[in-house]
């Protein structure tokens, strides 16, 4: 007798892929939850460390989202105030990273920010985009990039005027110095490379930048190596984060740059620039300038600011003589030297303005 019973095949093989997906999803969700808790804990730890160092750190709300592949941290009404009195206020600050690459973050301030300058008042900053990226945050010095697209700077009531009214772009970059030997995170002798770029900046009305750019636009790029950068990680006191660094001999080395202000152009260089006890820049900056006279003459036309018009007028005459001498010998560039000393900026024997203040 033929057995008519049919042996049924097991269907367990059909369910195996779904089971694997569910297991992988559960494992990934566990990792995401662990990661977000670590981020939350480190945020609170860092905030507490800053408070112990004299900073004021406040925020009204905090949220963490982004499952499954991203981690999004949102803070509202964030206030960061340094012991020096400088502060940043963000209505909203969002930070985001890939869950599979938590050492690279992008921060965005969609509603702009308020910059408080100690003793000078507040400036509102808004633009098409204000963002910063940080990669390699597990290293002693990560790669940092700050970018502002079409920023507008609005000085608030009773505050000192801000030199720039608006710009096409403002960029600032930080990275470990390419030639620096590896150093522990707490070392004070490590170095970083920094670069600042301003594209089509427009000065405030009747201000020194507007005069210098001859009512045009100012574009500049500056780069340098900042030594003893580890000192900056120790936080700042009432004098600012650069004070202890400058007192310990910190300096900007191998300074290079380009500047374009209206018709005037120049390349800049200096082997070293430092700061005095009052935080004013010290050192010598060499310029190879094309058509420097319009820019220097523009400094004398501004009706506001700390420009020494008598000194600027003397500098115009000296630069004119140097330019004429260069043209007589067929040179396209006029060599000029700026000296930062005694809290002033000098072109030859002529004082132009206060030296830039670091802290």
């Amino acid at each position: 007798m033929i057995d008519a019973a049919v042996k049924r095949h097991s269907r367990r093989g059909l369910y195996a892929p779904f089971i694997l997906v569910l297991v992988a999803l559960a494992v990934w969700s566990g990792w995401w939850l662990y990661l977000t808790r670590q981020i939350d804990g480190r945020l609170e730890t860092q905030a507490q460390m800053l408070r112990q160092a004299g900073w004021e750190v406040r925020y009204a709300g905090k949220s963490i989202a982004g499952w499954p592949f991203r981690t999004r941290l949102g803070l509202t009404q964030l206030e960061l105030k340094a012991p020096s009195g400088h502060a940043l206020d963000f209505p909203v600050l969002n930070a985001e990273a890939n869950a599979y690459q938590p050492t690279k973050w992008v921060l965005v301030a969609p509603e702009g920010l308020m910059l408080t300058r100690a003793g000078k008042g507040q400036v509102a900053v808004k633009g098409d985009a204000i963002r910063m990226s940080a990669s390699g945050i597990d290293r002693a010095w990560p790669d940092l990039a700050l970018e502002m697209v079409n920023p507008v700077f609005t000085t608030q009531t009773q505050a000192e005027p801000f030199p720039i009214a608006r710009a096409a772009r403002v960029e600032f970059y930080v990275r470990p110095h390419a030639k620096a030997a590896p150093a522990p995170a707490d070392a004070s002798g490590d170095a970083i490379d920094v670069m600042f770029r301003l594209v089509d900046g427009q000065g405030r009305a009747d201000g020194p930048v507007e005069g210098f750019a001859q009512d045009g636009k100012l574009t500049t790029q500056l780069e340098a190596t900042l030594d003893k950068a580890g000192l900056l990680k120790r936080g700042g006191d009432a004098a600012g984060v650069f004070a202890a660094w400058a007192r310990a001999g910190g300096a900007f080395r191998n300074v290079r740059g380009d500047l374009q202000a209206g018709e005037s152009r120049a390349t800049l260089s200096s082997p070293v620039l430092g700061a005095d006890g009052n935080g004013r820049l010290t050192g010598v900056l060499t310029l190879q300038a094309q058509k420097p006279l319009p820019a220097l003459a523009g400094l004398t036309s501004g009706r506001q600011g700390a420009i020494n018009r008598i000194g600027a007028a003397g500098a115009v005459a000296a630069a004119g003589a140097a330019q004429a001498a260069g043209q007589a010998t067929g040179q396209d560039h006029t060599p000029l030297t700026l000296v930062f000393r005694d809290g002033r900026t000098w072109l030859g024997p002529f004082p132009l303005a206060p030296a830039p203040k670091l802290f």
Side-chain angles (χ1 to χ4, degrees):
M1 182 176 178
I2 300 175
D3 188 358
V6 178
K7 184 178 181 180
R8 294 184 177 181
H9 295 282
S10 173
R11 296 185 178 180
R12 286 178 296 179
L14 299 176
Y15 301 130
F18 298 99
I19 293 173
L20 290 176
V21 169
L22 290 174
V23 170
L25 186 61
V27 172
W28 182 260
S29 298
W31 158 251
W32 188 88
L33 290 172
Y34 169 80
L35 178 63
T36 55
R37 288 173 181 171
Q38 289 290 310
I39 292 170
D40 189 26
R42 291 180 182 179
L43 173 66
E44 296 299 330
T45 298
Q46 186 63 42
Q48 187 59 33
M49 291 175 61
L50 288 173
R51 294 185 184 110
Q52 292 174 354
W55 289 62
E56 296 181 20
V57 182
R58 304 187 186 93
Y59 49 85
K62 176 179 61 177
S63 63
I64 299 180
W67 184 88
F69 298 119
R70 295 186 178 275
T71 301
R72 298 191 187 96
L73 173 65
L75 298 173
T76 59
Q77 302 302 320
L78 172 63
E79 301 176 15
L80 299 171
K81 186 175 182 180
S84 61
H86 298 295
L88 292 172
D89 296 339
F90 299 88
V92 178
L93 183 64
N94 298 322
E96 182 175 306
N98 292 321
Y100 51 84
Q101 193 180 15
T103 60
K104 182 177 182 179
W105 286 81
V106 176
L107 290 77
V108 179
E111 298 182 17
L113 60 95
M114 184 72 72
L115 168 65
T116 299
R117 300 166 294 162
K120 296 183 178 181
Q122 294 183 317
V123 177
V125 185
K126 292 191 176 182
D128 293 345
I130 300 177
R131 52 184 174 244
M132 185 180 78
S133 66
S135 60
I137 61 173
D138 54 337
R139 302 197 306 257
W141 279 103
D143 291 337
L144 303 176
L146 170 66
E147 180 184 36
M148 298 183 183
V149 180
N150 293 321
V152 177
F153 304 89
T154 305
T155 303
Q156 302 301 285
T157 304
Q158 296 182 343
E160 287 190 18
F162 196 69
I164 300 295
R166 63 181 66 243
R169 299 182 76 88
V170 175
E171 301 172 4
F172 182 69
Y173 301 93
V174 177
R175 67 179 183 182
H177 181 44
K179 297 181 180 180
D186 61 348
S188 61
D190 53 335
I192 57 175
D193 293 330
V194 297
M195 184 176 75
F196 171 78
R197 180 182 293 138
L198 172 69
V199 179
D200 290 343
Q202 298 181 28
R204 58 180 171 84
D206 298 326
V209 173
E210 182 186 67
F212 185 71
Q214 310 120 61
D215 293 334
K217 296 180 180 180
L218 174 65
T219 295
T220 183
Q221 177 174 310
L222 297 171
E223 54 186 293
T225 298
L226 189 152
D227 62 9
K228 299 187 179 182
L231 293 171
L232 300 177
K233 294 184 177 182
R234 299 179 182 179
D237 53 19
V241 295
F242 282 100
W245 171 78
R247 287 194 298 265
F252 296 98
R253 302 187 183 279
N254 301 319
V255 180
R256 298 288 184 273
D258 298 285
L259 182 148
Q260 179 177 344
E263 299 178 4
S264 305
R265 293 174 174 81
T267 59
L268 322 173
S269 64
S270 175
V272 57
L273 293 174
D276 62 19
N278 295 319
R280 297 286 182 182
L281 200 66
T282 61
V284 177
L285 187 65
T286 301
L287 295 82
Q288 294 293 330
Q290 288 181 311
K291 298 182 179 180
L293 294 183
L296 291 173
L299 289 177
T300 66
S301 64
R303 293 187 291 274
Q304 300 178 11
I307 298 300
N308 185 322
R309 291 173 180 79
I310 297 177
V316 170
Q323 180 174 308
Q327 290 175 345
T329 58
Q331 296 180 0
D332 294 332
H333 295 77
T334 303
L336 301 172
T337 301
L338 289 178
V339 179
F340 305 104
R341 59 177 172 82
D342 303 327
R344 308 291 295 177
T345 301
W346 301 78
L347 180 59
F350 304 104
L352 298 179
K357 189 175 179 63
L358 294 182
F359 57 86

